[in-house]
Amino acid sequence: MKKLQAPRGTLDVLPQDARRRLKVIATADEVLSRAGYEPMETPVFEDTEVFARGVGESTDIVQKEMFTFEDKAGRSLTLRPEATAGICRAYIEHGMHKLAQPVKVWYAGPFFRHEAPQAGRFRQFTQIDAEAIGSDDPSLDAELILLLDEILELAGTGPRRLRLSSLGSRDTRAEYLEELKRFLRAREDELSEEVRARIDQNPLRAFDADHPGTQAVMKEAPLLLDRLAADDAEHFAAVRALLDMAGIEHELDPTLVRGLDYYTRTVFEFESDRLGAQAALGGGGRYDGLIEELGGPPTPGVGFAAGIERILLAAGDVTPERQPTVFIAMAKPDSGRLAFQLAGLLRREGFRTEMEQAGRSMKGQLKQADRVGAYATVILGDTIEVKDMSSGEQQEASSPADVPSLLRSVHEREASAT
Ligand code: AMP
């Protein structure tokens, strides 16, 4: 029969990697909780309109990358390609503007984009996201950058670059976009066909182009950073001053374009040289117009998203930590029920416990105990023996209830020896 495979661009996460992912999520929980961010979850699919309006009709994500389908009633639904639009939809739906502001939330889960799969780029990937909604205070922008930096550091991604820019307010940006369009139209014949075709829809994308002619033109293009209104420039300066104070180095990159339309003011991205072409570990920015765009009251917000697969790729291979484990071996075939009972007892007492479950010989069972990294093996025969796996010493337990204290003393001996 034909072997079945996971869909293209998706990833089976096998146990060792799954544990590493849980650790990254636990690290994010720890770092973000300390700063007052609470966990929140939204559905994996939403009305397509949430993303069409939220992320923006002209973006690559909406135009090319969404997994969109109809439900049985003919409604258009989409597997979420990013998190912020759904969270903002929920913020409006649940009247969260009535809570103390800013509302700070974080989440981790699967996201879906129909992109060409390559190293570090999948069609289903996992993001850690954090959002602070309801205040435009520049300390929130700086705080989120710092928190993401700390998560990346603790996850072992190694050195990284922080690119930073400001897109200004919607008005400044609209005026600037008109200026940029005029500039691009005047130099149209030097541009790549793709950029030319999208001057009206998304002129900012020209900064991202690989095409040498376009790149040459863009070196002379007007920059939004030079056109910021006074309050936006002040906001950006405040964010930068806080980052400087915190000792976070950053590169100003006026060409930083993020693939989502909703950003205003601060945008940022962390990159790693350890990744290939897909160098972004995570990024984000401010989206002061998004909630209004989705039908809510005017509400500022700022957030980040980081890909767990990329974080682990940058962190590299690590040998899995050995968990202190107890193994229960059976010297007699009729000890099965006692082994099962004792395993339950030990697990309830907090011991990580495995038992023989594959009919091995005694020799095979001791080998298995080594394989699972057991520091002690309980051998059930005519007597109950607790064997210290490093010294080989054995002690007899007077009853099953006596086993935990014997295990504790073996464990303590081991711990003081290391
Ligand atoms: P974005 O919203 O596009 O800035 O994505 C935020 C982060 O999610 C990126 O910096 C990546 O770490 C991760 N990411 C985005 N798209 C993918 C993908 N197709 N595969 C794996 N990770 C991704």
Side-chain angles (χ1 to χ4, degrees), residues 113 115 120-122 125 127 258 260 280-283 305-307 310:
R113 292 185 195 171
E115 297 187 274
R121 190 157 82 187
F122 305 95
F125 54 100
Q127 280 184 345
R258 299 192 31 85
L260 305 97
L281 288 163
R310 301 242 180 113

Side-chain angles (χ1 to χ4, degrees), residues 9 61 65 81-84 111-116 118-129 258-260 262-263 268-270 275 278-284 304-311:
I61 292 182
E65 296 171 3
E82 62 92 57
T84 310
F111 293 85
F112 306 85
R113 292 185 195 171
H114 201 287
E115 297 187 274
Q118 61 179 87
R121 190 157 82 187
F122 305 95
R123 290 183 173 173
Q124 175 176 335
F125 54 100
T126 319
Q127 280 184 345
I128 293 169
D129 300 77
R258 299 192 31 85
L260 305 97
Y262 53 60
Y263 287 112
F268 59 92
E269 206 152 80
F270 282 98
L275 300 173
Q278 302 302 314
L281 288 163
F304 72 65
I308 293 190
E309 291 79 11
R310 301 242 180 113
I311 291 177

Side-chain angles (χ1 to χ4, degrees), residues 36-343:
Y37 291 76
E38 289 293 321
M40 171 163 175
E41 288 183 32
T42 59
V44 165
F45 56 86
E46 296 270 359
D47 271 341
T48 300
E49 208 180 330
V50 169
F51 305 114
R53 259 156 72 183
V55 176
E57 291 281 9
S58 70
T59 58
D60 277 354
I61 292 182
V62 170
Q63 291 210 335
K64 304 186 206 159
E65 296 171 3
M66 297 208 300
F67 284 95
T68 295
F69 57 98
E70 272 188 7
D71 71 5
K72 293 196 168 135
R75 282 177 291 251
S76 178
L77 299 172
T78 293
L79 292 180
R80 58 183 184 190
E82 62 92 57
T84 310
I87 284 284
C88 289
R89 192 266 312 136
Y91 177 95
I92 300 166
E93 187 170 337
H94 301 285
M96 291 172 88
H97 60 277
K98 292 185 208 124
L99 304 174
Q101 307 292 302
V103 170
K104 292 176 162 187
V105 294
W106 78 274
Y107 33 102
F111 293 85
F112 306 85
R113 292 185 195 171
H114 201 287
E115 297 187 274
Q118 61 179 87
R121 190 157 82 187
F122 305 95
R123 290 183 173 173
Q124 175 176 335
F125 54 100
T126 319
Q127 280 184 345
I128 293 169
D129 300 77
E131 318 282 351
I133 306 176
S135 165
D136 66 358
D137 197 282
S139 70
L140 290 167
D141 308 46
E143 173 177 286
L144 281 160
I145 291 172
L146 252 63
L147 293 172
L148 177 53
D149 186 59
E150 192 181 347
I151 292 168
L152 296 174
E153 177 64 28
L154 291 172
T157 59
R160 55 208 164 268
R161 266 186 318 279
L162 170 60
R163 295 161 67 211
L164 184 73
S165 191
S166 173
L167 300 180
S169 69
R170 305 190 104 195
D171 288 348
T172 321
R173 203 169 157 202
E175 277 167 35
Y176 166 74
L177 288 178
E178 286 313 312
E179 182 186 354
L180 183 62
K181 283 180 204 170
R182 282 195 301 275
F183 170 84
L184 291 172
R185 271 195 218 100
R187 313 268 304 254
E188 216 164 321
D189 6 324
E190 297 165 69
L191 303 173
S192 77
E193 223 178 284
E194 206 193 336
V195 169
R196 213 181 313 147
R198 298 181 65 192
I199 292 182
D200 283 321
Q201 274 189 318
N202 198 352
L204 281 173
R205 277 273 144 179
F207 284 110
D208 269 355
D210 299 328
H211 179 252
T214 308
Q215 284 177 345
V217 172
M218 295 320 284
K219 285 209 177 91
E220 292 160 32
L223 295 176
L224 181 51
L225 265 185
D226 300 328
R227 303 284 188 275
L228 294 185
D231 56 341
D232 295 328
E234 212 174 286
H235 190 274
F236 192 46
V239 174
R240 295 187 64 198
L242 291 173
L243 293 178
D244 286 340
M245 201 179 68
I248 300 272
E249 276 181 40
H250 58 270
E251 291 165 24
L252 264 199
D253 185 346
T255 69
L256 179 59
V257 178
R258 299 192 31 85
L260 305 97
D261 268 0
Y262 53 60
Y263 287 112
T264 51
R265 292 191 160 174
T266 317
V267 284
F268 59 92
E269 206 152 80
F270 282 98
E271 285 186 351
S272 167
D273 286 336
R274 293 184 185 174
L275 300 173
Q278 302 302 314
L281 288 163
R286 188 161 269 293
Y287 44 85
D288 292 346
L290 176 58
I291 294 207
E292 210 177 346
E293 187 70 39
L294 292 172
T299 311
V302 56
F304 72 65
I308 293 190
E309 291 79 11
R310 301 242 180 113
I311 291 177
L312 292 179
L313 214 59
D317 286 334
V318 285
T319 24
E321 248 176 69
R322 285 202 147 188
Q323 306 263 0
T325 298
V326 174
F327 190 80
I328 301 176
M330 288 170 261
K332 285 168 47 183
D334 61 359
S335 309
R337 290 174 64 148
L338 177 58
F340 191 79
Q341 210 178 17
L342 185 59

